[in-house]
Amino acid sequence: KLEDVTGSRKSAEEVMERYDRSMPVLIAWSESVVDEMYQYGYVRSMPPTSRIRFLPNPYGRYADPGKLEREAVNTIIQATSADITKSAMVELNSLSKLVDTHLLLQIHDELVYEVPIQYAEEWLGVMKDVMINTTYKPEGLSLKVDGKIGKTWYCNHYGFG
């Protein structure tokens, strides 16, 4: 936690080490992604789409290996999140006609729908179910989906109203 860092480099390193120890599977996965990037010069998003992103030569004259390693890991996370969101949007589009809902906005992995109030709770349940079980979810990946009902996205997001 950020509040555990008192400002010293040693304290920050201790927080990072505790985090690494608490997430061994994530750390191992990140290391395998970095190994792939060094071996092949690219990374792939998670199946089933497996999109490829080529990264600059990590051994090049102007390379910043730390930055490239972070980009490699972030690419897979962001691309996979985008694939899951797009897949859910397609599935929800056909269902939205059943209760006269309209997709108003997509912000990264957030979907904002306009829904008649009498269907709001039911639609929220449908959305969560579709997003958790979407077709393009990588095998073995479990998702946590949050949702809120409110008058506006701004009110829900920032807690006003």
Side-chain angles (χ1 to χ4, degrees), residues 11-138:
S11 180
E13 288 172 354
E14 289 171 1
V15 169
M16 291 171 61
E17 286 173 18
R18 276 198 317 267
Y19 176 81
D20 287 353
R21 284 193 307 272
S22 71
M23 303 283 197
V25 173
L26 178 64
I27 299 306
W29 174 79
S30 296
E31 289 170 355
S32 72
V33 167
V34 170
D35 290 346
E36 180 182 328
M37 186 259 312
Y38 281 112
Q39 184 175 2
Y40 301 111
Y42 64 82
V43 293
R44 289 181 182 268
S45 65
M46 297 176 93
T49 57
S50 300
R51 291 190 280 160
I52 294 175
R53 177 179 179 199
F54 289 92
L55 293 160
N57 179 357
Y59 304 106
R61 182 175 175 182
Y62 300 104
D64 179 348
K67 180 181 177 196
L68 288 174
E69 291 170 8
R70 289 187 301 275
E71 283 182 22
V73 171
N74 190 50
T75 291
I76 295 174
I77 293 168
Q78 294 295 331
T80 303
S81 175
D83 292 341
I84 291 168
T85 302
K86 284 188 242 177
S87 173
M89 287 172 63
V90 169
E91 292 176 45
L92 287 166
N93 184 53
S94 61
L95 296 172
S96 69
K97 294 169 181 65
L98 301 174
V99 290
D100 193 33
T101 66
H102 305 282
L103 178 64
L104 296 179
L105 190 60
Q106 179 225 341
I107 304 169
H108 301 289
D109 60 353
E110 294 183 43
L111 301 178
V112 179
Y113 277 85
E114 182 176 55
V115 181
I117 192 68
Q118 67 267 29
Y119 300 118
E121 289 286 340
E122 181 181 357
W123 183 250
L124 180 58
V126 168
M127 285 180 62
K128 285 181 175 183
D129 185 58
V130 166
M131 291 188 87
I132 288 170
N133 299 301
T134 187
T135 308
Y136 283 98
K137 181 179 79 172

